[in-house]
Amino acid sequence: MGLTSETTVYVTAALAAVCVGLLVWLWPRFAARGLRQVLGRLAAIGVTQAVIIAAFACWLNSSYQFFGSWGELFGHVETAPVGVTQASGGDGTVTGVAVKGALVQPGSDEQLSRVSGLPSGPASVNGRVESVKVIGRRTGVVDPAFVYLPPQYFQKAYRRQRFPVIVALSGYPGSIFNLAQYLRVSQTAGQLQKSGQMQPTVLVMIRPTIAPPRDTECVNVPGGPQTETFLAKDLPDALKSAYRVGHDASAWGVMGYSSGASCALQLTMRNPHVYTTAGALSPDYRVKDDPTTGNLFGSGLGRVNRVNGHDLMWRLKHLPVPQVSVLVAESKHGERGYPQTQAFIRAVRAPMRVASILPEHGSHNFPTWVRELPATLKWMNQQLTFPQDVVPRHHKKGTVEAARPKPGRGTLRAEGTEPTPTATRHK
């Protein structure tokens, strides 16, 4: 039985019901005085409560996909790279390009099959979402991901065209299922692109938790998981080897919610040569140790520098400002990070640019982030450049050269024009 399967939920629920029934039936036998009877009562109550909690935890995990397998739950994750098989779709289109170095491989469809509203039918008409595993060449990390490919990716006119990329990061604890089912990243992007409000873009949904159940944030832990290296180096390299995506940083953006939003800001400000645009829904502005993270920064003389390096307010004050664009979203009432968000906005200076989404009311939850997502994606669309480089021409008779789109940043207003009502631009 898989950890997230309905069978596991039903079995644990049935065990909980049986334990409650046995407790009621056997309680009179434990009613007498004596050490044996007291221990029996304590054991019966303890076992019953443990099974009830386990049943509730299984249901909660099955619904929100915090951990995808028993191995993840107990901290055993895949680390060894494996071979890649190139798959093809039912309509005859190839779902991936040849992979160099086995950096991307087909993944399990168990979680993807439970996501509602995904594109169906011919990929050249509706696009496609693929389930893959990303292999970190430097870190050895194996991380599951969903990849949304727009319809144009499969059309003959774009056969040699590369596409911009937005990497979407989940919070902690969280999973790619949350990004697809509850935040509805690919569904929202597909609707925006179909209506002409967003240029054709590849969306990559991935979790920053590379060593579950530990929350490593986006930090290269001394002697531990190298999360920043995976997300800033391994992930882009793997995607560039497997898909027709832009090679220049101007075509790459990263977004997320909660701790994934914090990670998006960290990655962009610390690695402006990789990501030039960030969308952060309810972020924090510095990384600190807590019970879920353990010691992220090590010890010794370098600890202070490592801590400061992941404090974005410190970076804005003491380091050169990167030439990037970021968007931060925080509710004025209902979320506790509004004062910090205002302080961050005031601290940003040129050449960095910041925009904001600041609704009057909201909470630290998916309904709030779903409301903020369309404006975030449209704003990121304005910042990302549609790649003008193309893949090498195949010297084959009958090959159709791609029709290259007009230069620019999509159909929305370019940088420097008046912002939309839902996003306020700050210089």
Side-chain angles (χ1 to χ4, degrees):
M1 295 185 297
L3 178 61
T4 61
S5 69
E6 292 184 353
T7 302
T8 302
V9 177
Y10 293 146
V11 168
T12 54
L15 286 175
V18 169
C19 286
V20 171
L22 288 175
L23 178 65
V24 174
W25 182 51
L26 295 175
W27 191 257
R29 300 188 181 186
F30 300 136
R33 295 182 178 180
L35 179 61
R36 188 175 179 181
Q37 286 74 16
V38 171
L39 293 176
R41 289 196 294 270
L42 291 175
I45 293 173
V47 170
T48 302
Q49 288 183 335
V51 175
I52 291 174
I53 292 173
F56 177 76
C58 286
W59 169 80
L60 191 66
N61 185 71
S62 179
S63 299
Y64 292 96
Q65 302 284 311
F66 298 131
F67 301 99
S69 67
W70 294 105
E72 287 184 14
L73 179 64
F74 294 108
H76 305 298
V77 294
E78 295 180 85
T79 57
V82 292
V84 177
T85 302
Q86 182 172 316
S88 62
D91 58 354
T93 57
V94 178
T95 61
V97 193
V99 176
K100 300 177 182 178
L103 301 181
V104 175
Q105 69 173 27
S108 170
D109 287 334
E110 179 182 350
Q111 293 189 76
L112 191 61
S113 63
R114 300 178 58 196
V115 178
S116 61
L118 294 180
S120 59
S124 59
V125 177
N126 300 316
R128 173 175 295 151
V129 177
E130 300 180 346
S131 177
V132 301
K133 291 181 180 179
V134 179
I135 313 299
R137 186 177 62 185
R138 298 170 183 81
T139 60
V141 169
V142 180
D143 210 17
F146 294 152
V147 179
Y148 166 78
L149 302 172
Q152 291 83 354
Y153 190 91
F154 302 95
Q155 296 171 5
K156 291 183 178 180
Y158 292 82
R159 181 177 295 173
R160 295 178 55 229
Q161 182 63 55
R162 300 187 188 277
F163 292 82
V165 183
I166 294 178
V167 175
L169 303 175
S170 64
Y172 177 87
S175 70
I176 54 177
F177 179 83
N178 291 355
L179 290 164
Q181 177 65 17
Y182 297 109
L183 193 57
R184 306 191 71 76
V185 171
S186 58
Q187 298 90 322
T188 304
Q191 293 171 359
L192 292 174
Q193 293 176 33
K194 185 173 292 186
S195 63
Q197 300 180 72
M198 184 177 177
Q199 63 191 346
T201 303
V202 173
L203 275 294
V204 181
M205 292 159 274
I206 198 164
R207 59 182 186 181
T209 308
I210 66 170
R214 185 181 183 184
D215 178 15
T216 53
E217 297 286 335
C218 278
V219 175
N220 282 342
V221 181
Q226 303 293 289
T227 312
E228 183 175 18
T229 296
F230 175 75
L231 293 172
K233 294 182 179 180
D234 285 345
L235 176 62
D237 284 354
L239 295 174
K240 290 172 185 177
S241 73
Y243 295 100
R244 299 195 316 274
V245 295
H247 284 199
D248 190 82
S250 64
W252 283 73
V254 57
M255 63 160 292
Y257 66 88
S258 191
S259 62
S262 308
C263 188
L265 291 178
Q266 294 276 343
L267 287 172
T268 303
M269 293 181 63
R270 289 173 57 86
N271 303 274
H273 58 288
V274 179
Y275 300 103
T276 57
T277 302
L281 311 180
S282 305
D284 289 322
Y285 300 97
R286 68 186 181 99
V287 178
K288 56 185 179 180
D289 293 340
D290 64 35
T292 66
T293 65
N295 185 354
L296 292 174
F297 304 106
S299 57
L301 298 177
R303 176 178 170 83
V304 173
N305 289 335
R306 288 190 288 268
V307 171
N308 288 337
H310 287 277
D311 184 334
L312 300 185
M313 298 297 291
W314 185 93
R315 295 184 69 90
L316 288 172
K317 184 176 180 181
H318 294 94
L319 299 180
V321 176
Q323 189 171 347
V324 296
S325 299
V326 302
L327 178 145
V328 291
E330 194 85 27
S331 301
K332 296 179 182 179
H333 304 286
E335 293 191 89
R336 61 184 180 183
Y338 182 72
Q340 290 77 18
T341 295
Q342 288 287 70
F344 176 80
I345 292 171
R346 291 192 297 268
V348 171
R349 62 186 188 278
M352 183 174 172
R353 294 184 177 183
V354 60
S356 63
I357 299 175
L358 305 172
E360 286 293 330
H361 299 280
S363 300
H364 198 82
N365 56 27
F366 285 108
T368 297
W369 300 324
V370 167
R371 290 170 49 212
E372 298 166 345
L373 181 62
T376 300
L377 289 175
K378 288 190 287 185
W379 179 87
M380 294 184 73
N381 170 85
Q382 291 178 322
Q383 318 309 314
L384 298 178
T385 302
F386 202 102
Q388 294 306 299
D389 59 323
V390 296
V391 297
R393 184 197 300 271
H394 296 291
H395 297 284
K396 182 179 179 181
K397 187 176 180 179
T399 300
V400 179
E401 184 174 356
R404 296 178 64 176
K406 296 180 180 180
R409 296 182 181 272
T411 58
L412 298 188
R413 298 179 210 168
E415 184 74 37
T417 60
E418 288 297 318
T420 61
T422 53
T424 305
R425 186 181 305 280
H426 307 268
K427 294 184 179 179

